[in-house]
Amino acid sequence: MTTRNLKKSTLAVAAAAALSLSLAACGGDAAEKPSDGGTTGAPAATGSVYYLNFKPEQAEQWVELAKKYQEETGVSVTVETAASGTYAATLKSEMAKSDPPSIFQVNGPVGLATWQDHTADLTDTAMYKNLNVSEMALSSADGSQISAVPYVIETYGLIYNKALLAKYFELPDAAVKSIEELNNFAALKAVAEGIQANKDALGVEGAFTSSGFDPSSDWRFKTHLANLPLYYEFKADNIVGQPETIKGSYLPNYKQIFDLYINNATVAPTTLSGKTMEDATAEFATGKAVFLQNGTWAYGDLSGAGMADDDLGMLPIYIGADGEENQGLTTGSENYWVVNSQASAENQAASVKFLEWVITSETGQSALVNDMGFVTPFSGFDAFAPTNPLVLADQAYTAAGKIPVSWNFTVMPSDEWKSGVGQALLEYAQGTGEWTGVETAFVDGWAAEVKLANS
């Protein structure tokens, strides 16, 4: 997710502040149609909307969509976007204010547990009713209500530059000659080291972009990359949900993929503390690196930087686990909408109506799919087939029968656990710490944080 400063775009209402509007669920005319939301019991959305957005890479698109909604309905919508890696702290700060967000996000069950007292019931809303798979929604701890609804399905892996990789395949000593052969860690290692050895001939500075540990970038390794050893451990041990302890069975695999990243990159490992997501994106977009660990959400930044769709592909992240030749991309969601039950009744009702308009109106659907590049979990989007090449790559793996890797980082016990793992990874990369520090932060840190949360 691209580093950006905290953005706030307040879309003021000129003459409409005094109007009492009853809005159709899918936008359009101010109407007599009641809200689908059973959230507040308020008769009409006379309030305003304050949306605290989690995704910096779509900040501008959300502002534009909010502007269109205001122009169409007269309802004031404020969109504020937290800088990458700061959402939890920003949300805590904003919730303490007298005018808190009326819509915010949680990243899964752990995040929901933190904010359970701020969750309105979404059971009777279009967001929940229109889910293709209703089980994707998150319920309250006692099961009495639907508290959070996912709004985007995302995929991540190793984004690659097709033109540069094809150039490597043409080298006489190329370890593999086609993308089809690049389906396991041994092949990935041979290719990455081959690119690094021939970087001058290929016109690149490294096989991988910088694995930055600035807060805008470190989530890629302490969270997204850490998902892979968790996925294989949970799969081997038939673990569902959040275990009290983990064994770290696949930490050697975690080490070898991380080593591959930092030893075959555009920069020396000792410089990683200050490297950002913007640095990595720029290195990839300008052809300085062949591989970038990121996801479907990066498409806007990459295309905006001038990359052609035909040059963008995505590989699974291979770590050397048995059977990974049949592995697909890592697909799931950590983006759940929540309506703040402690906002005013009017603002809750207005927020429900806004979100319903986003997922049911042509304007909202087009923005989600075409402008933001999302794959949504909602029905009614048949007219908006995805064109994002990274999304299409995921569909191709699925069509080929590859098994998607699930998102298990949503049960990571806390941000403190992630921070401990991230700090240990950085110290290891810089040479100021040993890999045993990563193992301790991963395994012992998990048990400690789960115990703390449960107490």
Side-chain angles (χ1 to χ4, degrees):
M1 302 175 200
T2 308
T3 305
R4 299 177 190 259
N5 291 330
L6 186 65
K7 295 183 176 180
K8 187 170 184 179
S9 176
T10 303
L11 306 172
V13 180
L19 295 179
S20 176
L21 300 176
S22 178
L23 304 176
C26 59
D29 298 322
E32 287 109 38
K33 186 188 275 186
S35 167
D36 285 338
T39 308
T40 65
T46 56
S48 60
V49 179
Y50 170 14
Y51 177 31
L52 184 60
N53 173 40
F54 173 76
K55 299 176 70 57
E57 60 274 13
Q58 277 83 34
E60 294 175 4
Q61 292 92 337
W62 274 114
V63 168
E64 182 61 29
L65 185 59
K67 181 179 179 181
K68 291 177 180 178
Y69 182 75
Q70 177 175 313
E71 290 172 348
E72 185 173 313
T73 67
V75 174
S76 174
V77 181
T78 298
V79 176
E80 185 168 306
T81 298
S84 184
T86 69
Y87 191 81
T90 301
L91 177 59
K92 185 176 182 180
S93 174
E94 292 299 301
M95 283 297 199
K97 295 181 178 179
S98 59
D99 187 19
S102 59
I103 304 170
F104 64 98
Q105 295 179 219
V106 296
N107 66 350
V110 175
L112 179 63
T114 301
W115 294 104
Q116 187 65 61
D117 292 341
H118 289 72
T119 62
D121 188 2
L122 303 180
T123 304
D124 292 328
T125 65
M127 291 85 74
Y128 176 61
K129 292 178 179 179
N130 288 19
L131 281 175
N132 289 317
V133 181
S134 61
E135 289 79 8
M136 293 182 67
L138 301 179
S139 300
S140 58
D142 62 4
S144 64
Q145 68 173 46
I146 298 299
S147 297
V149 175
Y151 68 90
V152 58
I153 303 299
E154 295 179 306
T155 296
Y156 68 89
L158 287 176
I159 302 173
Y160 63 91
N161 184 315
K162 289 184 177 180
L164 290 176
L165 196 53
K167 192 174 180 180
Y168 166 78
F169 290 151
E170 293 171 359
L171 293 177
D173 60 345
V176 302
K177 295 292 186 179
S178 70
I179 195 66
E180 290 74 23
E181 297 176 71
L182 192 48
N183 65 354
N184 59 74
F185 178 78
L188 178 63
K189 185 174 188 292
V191 168
E193 292 176 345
I195 291 171
Q196 200 73 15
N198 292 278
K199 61 182 181 180
D200 292 339
L202 294 171
V204 301
E205 295 181 5
F208 296 96
T209 63
S210 54
S211 300
F213 274 80
D214 172 271
S216 67
S217 176
D218 66 347
W219 51 268
R220 293 188 293 148
F221 315 107
K222 69 184 185 183
T223 303
H224 282 191
L225 189 61
N227 183 78
L228 274 296
L230 289 176
Y231 166 75
Y232 279 106
E233 179 173 333
F234 290 2
K235 183 179 179 181
D237 295 345
N238 297 313
I239 293 173
V240 177
Q242 185 191 68
E244 293 184 1
T245 61
I246 57 176
K247 297 184 294 187
S249 308
Y250 289 85
L251 286 180
N253 304 78
Y254 189 32
K255 179 180 184 297
Q256 66 182 7
I257 184 62
F258 187 65
D259 283 345
L260 193 67
Y261 283 2
I262 64 176
N263 294 326
N264 298 278
T266 55
V267 300
T270 53
T271 68
L272 294 180
S273 63
K275 287 295 179 179
T276 68
M277 189 69 245
E278 284 186 349
D279 292 330
T281 300
E283 290 162 13
F284 186 76
T286 56
K288 294 179 180 179
V290 180
F291 299 108
L292 165 69
Q293 186 197 302
N294 213 343
T296 48
W297 55 86
Y299 172 65
D301 286 336
L302 296 175
S303 61
M307 293 199 72
D309 286 6
D310 290 345
D311 281 342
L312 290 171
M314 187 153 55
L315 286 168
I317 300 173
Y318 298 115
I319 65 171
D322 290 342
E324 66 182 1
E325 292 82 2
N326 293 317
Q327 175 186 315
L329 296 167
T330 309
T331 300
S333 183
E334 63 166 347
N335 296 280
Y336 293 81
W337 280 327
V338 179
V339 172
N340 185 3
S341 62
Q342 297 191 23
S344 71
E346 293 82 3
N347 289 356
Q348 289 183 57
S351 298
V352 167
K353 285 180 177 292
F354 171 65
L355 293 180
E356 291 177 337
W357 177 85
V358 168
I359 70 161
T360 60
S361 70
E362 182 176 345
T363 301
Q365 290 180 341
S366 178
L368 291 180
V369 177
N370 297 328
D371 300 338
M372 301 184 198
F374 288 167
V375 173
T376 74
F378 305 109
S379 60
F381 279 73
D382 295 345
F384 296 94
T387 58
N388 182 336
L390 305 178
V391 172
L392 298 180
D394 179 49
Q395 293 179 347
Y397 275 103
T398 301
K402 303 300 182 181
I403 301 171
V405 172
S406 59
W407 284 23
N408 300 284
F409 55 82
T410 58
V411 301
M412 289 176 177
S414 66
D415 286 334
E416 286 73 19
W417 181 84
K418 297 175 189 177
S419 296
V421 171
Q423 184 60 38
L425 284 171
L426 176 59
E427 291 174 1
Y428 170 73
Q430 293 180 147
T432 57
E434 301 295 330
W435 184 255
T436 53
V438 177
E439 295 172 341
T440 298
F442 206 95
V443 177
D444 295 349
W446 184 288
E449 286 299 315
V450 171
K451 183 177 181 180
L452 182 63
N454 290 337
S455 64

